[in-house]
Every structure is written in C-alpha cells, then in structure tokens.
Amino acid sequence: MLRRGLALLAVLAFALPAAASTGRSAKFAWRISPIGAAQKRVMTGVSWHSGCPVGLSELRDVRVSYIGFDRRRHLGQIIVNGSVAKSVVSVFRKLYSARYPIRRMVPVDVYGGSDFNSIEHDNTSSFNCRNATGSSNWSNHAYGLAIDLNPLENPYVSGGRTSHGGSVRYLDRSKHYKGMIHPGDFVVRAFESIGWGWGGYWSGSVRDLQHFSANGR
C-alpha cells in the first residue's frame, strides 16, 4: 500500500490542475490548486468518502517548499480547506525562512488514510475525514482545518504516554531536539499569526503537541 501510494504521489506531482495560484520568493515556492481528477481518485474511499463534512470541491491541494531534516529544500504536499489555503502557505513560508526542519509532507492517502501509519512515518499532514481521537465527533482534520506537524517529535500525549515508540524520547519536553515544538516558540507564533491554536496548550492529561487547528481544538 505504501509503495503504491508513493507511486501515485509521484505521478500527481506532474499532473496539477492548470487553474492554480503560484508564487516564489527567496527559493520558497508554493502552489494552491483545486483537487484535480487524479487526486480525487486517490482520495475517494481513502481519506475522503461520501458523508464527510466537506466536499472535495471545498479542499485545496497545496504545495510548499520546506527544509528537511537533511537541511535541504524539498517540496511538500498538503490537503487543506480552501478557506485557509493562503494562510497555511504564509505559515510554511515563515517556517521555511526560519529553517525549521520538517521530516516529510505528503497526503495521508499515501498511508492508506491511516493516521497511525502517517505518524509512524513522521508525516506532516492535514485533511483526513476521521473522528477526533477518542471521540465520535468529526476531527478538525475532517474539515481540512488542522495540521499535524512532525508528529513523532511532537506526540499526542495522554497520561504522560504515547502510542508511538519513536516518540518516547520526545516525551521530555525540556529537551530541544530537532523538529520539536515548545510553548511560545516561532512555530507556535507562526500559527498564532493566522489565528490557529496549539494542542500543546490543552489543559488536563491530554496534550496534542503536533496539532494546530483553526479553532484550537
């Protein structure tokens, strides 16, 4: 499934719809496109299905430059709600300028729509038509209004524990390993600049350190 997903992604990289907003500044490149026919086929029955709270026409395929853990420039793909696409680009522009490292950025369809598998590969992503963790309500991801950033370095923590072995070393938030997010840092401020809240500020025994969303939940 992963190999098939990566192959599909490689094809789609050369099959963007013609009607798109694009830009380039100081080597930061971006592109906002409607969800094209090929992308629709990949998403349908995987990250999107009939009954989801938003239609595919309400989503946008966003491509942005990012700095990888290898310190090199890469092009990432993320699916977000069309209403926030330009704001999301502005955030990634700031992260790029600050050379904040991102491990990987591809749609969750590459991982069969599995949030768990996407996290296991330390993948930064947004849209996925699913319920919120531990809830029967739609997640903000189901609207394309949330982004999970470097999820292994910034785990979902419940009762001081994580479900991902690769995140254990990052439970100690006094550390400053590459890709980690901390209260008040430039990553949090970048998202705050577009009005988004951080799951690291949640009260109680649950903190979602990877999670940024339009409504803070």
Side-chain angles (χ1 to χ4, degrees):
M1 175 64 76
L2 176 58
R3 182 177 298 174
R4 176 176 177 270
L6 290 171
L8 286 168
L9 185 64
V11 171
L12 291 175
F14 297 96
L16 284 169
S21 299
T22 60
R24 183 182 297 272
S25 175
K27 296 186 178 180
F28 175 82
W30 60 273
R31 181 170 182 138
I32 299 172
S33 306
I35 304 299
Q39 186 74 51
K40 287 178 181 178
R41 288 193 295 271
V42 171
M43 294 174 65
T44 301
V46 183
S47 65
W48 183 90
H49 54 81
S50 177
C52 289
V54 294
L56 289 169
S57 63
E58 299 174 72
L59 301 172
R60 293 294 181 270
D61 177 351
V62 176
R63 310 291 174 103
V64 291
S65 301
Y66 70 91
I67 301 299
F69 275 53
D70 58 3
R71 300 182 181 179
R72 296 180 179 179
R73 179 175 177 264
H74 299 270
L75 182 66
Q77 179 185 18
I78 194 165
I79 307 298
V80 302
N81 194 291
S83 66
V84 299
K86 289 185 178 179
S87 296
V88 165
V89 168
S90 75
V91 168
F92 282 105
R93 185 191 303 275
K94 290 177 181 178
L95 299 187
Y96 182 85
S97 296
R99 298 190 68 80
Y100 172 76
I102 295 173
R103 179 84 63 183
R104 182 174 289 107
M105 192 189 307
V106 296
V108 295
D109 306 277
V110 173
Y111 305 102
S114 169
D115 182 57
F116 186 90
N117 288 340
S118 180
I119 291 173
E120 285 286 285
H121 287 83
D122 206 14
N123 181 50
T124 293
S125 66
S126 176
F127 178 76
N128 194 7
C129 186
R130 62 174 178 83
N131 290 338
T133 303
S135 170
S136 59
N137 297 319
W138 290 119
S139 165
N140 278 303
H141 290 283
Y143 298 87
L145 295 173
I147 291 174
D148 287 345
L149 185 62
N150 286 343
L152 286 184
E153 290 78 14
N154 304 289
Y156 178 93
V157 181
S158 179
R161 297 182 179 181
T162 172
S163 299
H164 299 273
S167 288
V168 171
R169 72 184 297 232
Y170 300 104
L171 290 175
D172 182 353
R173 303 309 288 182
S174 68
K175 304 296 184 182
H176 285 77
Y177 297 123
K178 186 186 298 185
M180 290 177 69
I181 303 167
H182 295 89
D185 70 9
F186 66 90
V187 179
V188 175
R189 294 197 305 273
F191 279 96
E192 287 178 341
S193 73
I194 65 168
W196 284 33
W198 181 43
Y201 286 146
W202 293 355
S203 59
S205 62
V206 172
R207 290 185 300 156
D208 200 351
L209 300 165
Q210 65 202 254
H211 184 79
F212 292 91
S213 64
N215 63 9
R217 299 193 295 273

